[in-house]
Amino acid sequence: MFFNKKSPVVSTELDLERIPKHVAIIMDGNGRWAKAKGLPRVAGHQQGMEGVKKITVAASDLGVKVLTLYAFSTENWKRPASEVGFLMKLPTRFFDTFVPELIQNNVKVQVMGYIDQLPTETQKAVQQAIDQTKNNTGMVLNFALNYGGRAEIITGVQNLARKVQTGSLSPDQIDEEQISNALMTAPLAPYQDPELLIRTSGENRISNFLLWQLAYSEMVFLDQHWPDLDADGFKQAISIYQGRDRRFGGIKEDKK
Ligand code: IPE
Ligand code: IPE
Ligand code: MG
C-alpha cells in the first residue's frame, strides 16, 4: 500500500506497511534557527514547540506507535539560567494549548527522565497531561525530559544490583531482556527500541540519547533546524529509512 503526499513540491511515497513503529527524534537547532533570524534563542524554543505539534500529528496519522522526543538532556542544565527557565516553562505552555488536540488524535503522553528534579510547576504540567491522556489508545508521545542515556544505564544497573543483593536475581540471569526492562523505555514495551532515529540541524552525534536502545536503529541526520521540519520533511526521513537495508548482523536476503 502506498501513500501519496498531497503537496506538489516533493513527492514522498511511503510504504504504509513499513512505517517504523518507534521513531525517536533529537530535536536540535532551535537556537541556530533563532540566531539566523536575528531573534533570541528562546524564540527558537517557542517555535520548536509548534514543530512538536506538527510532527506529533504527522506521526500519529502515519500509524507510528511511539514517538520519543528528546526535549531536555541531563547536560542541558549547563545552559544559562534564563534559557533553562524558559525551557522548563514550555511543557506548561505546550500542554495548555495542545491537550485537546492530543485527545482528538487519541495520543497518549508519557515522559521519561529524572522528572523529580524538575521545577514543581513543570512536574505538575507533565503529570496533568499524562493523566488527561491516560485512556488514549493511539500513539504514545514520549518526552525525554531531563533524560540522559548514561544516567539511565547507571540507574538501571543500580536497580539490578539491588535485586542481586536481596537475592531476587542471580548475576547469571542478567540478560538483554533484564537490562531492557531496567531502563526508562521499559513502559514502551513491545516498542522499547526505535527503528528510526532522526536528528535535525546537521549534527551527526547522539548526545547521550538512548545509548542501549539505538543499537540497531537506522539514523537519519537532516540539515534543517528543528523548527523548520514539517510533515513533509518527516515523511522524507521515513522514506530514507524505508530505503535502508537492515541486516542486524546477518546478510542481505535475495529478493526473488
Ligand atoms: C534543541 O535546540 C533544543 C534543546 C536542546 C533544548 P538547541 O537549543 O540545542 O539549538 P542549537 O543546537 O543551539 O541551535
Ligand atoms: C541534544 O541536543 C539534546 C536535546 C535535543 C534535548 P544538544 O544541543 O544539547 O546537543 P549537543 O550539545 O549539540 O551535543
Ligand atoms: Mg543543540
Side-chain angles (χ1 to χ4, degrees), residues 27-33 41 45 70-73 76 79 83 87 199 201 203 225:
M27 308 184 288
D28 197 21
N30 291 351
R32 278 165 280 175
W33 178 91
R41 289 180 55 84
H45 297 315
Y70 203 7
F72 192 88
S73 78
N76 286 146
R79 298 185 179 200
E83 181 171 344
L87 288 168
R199 182 172 184 145
S201 214
E203 243 46 272
H225 299 312

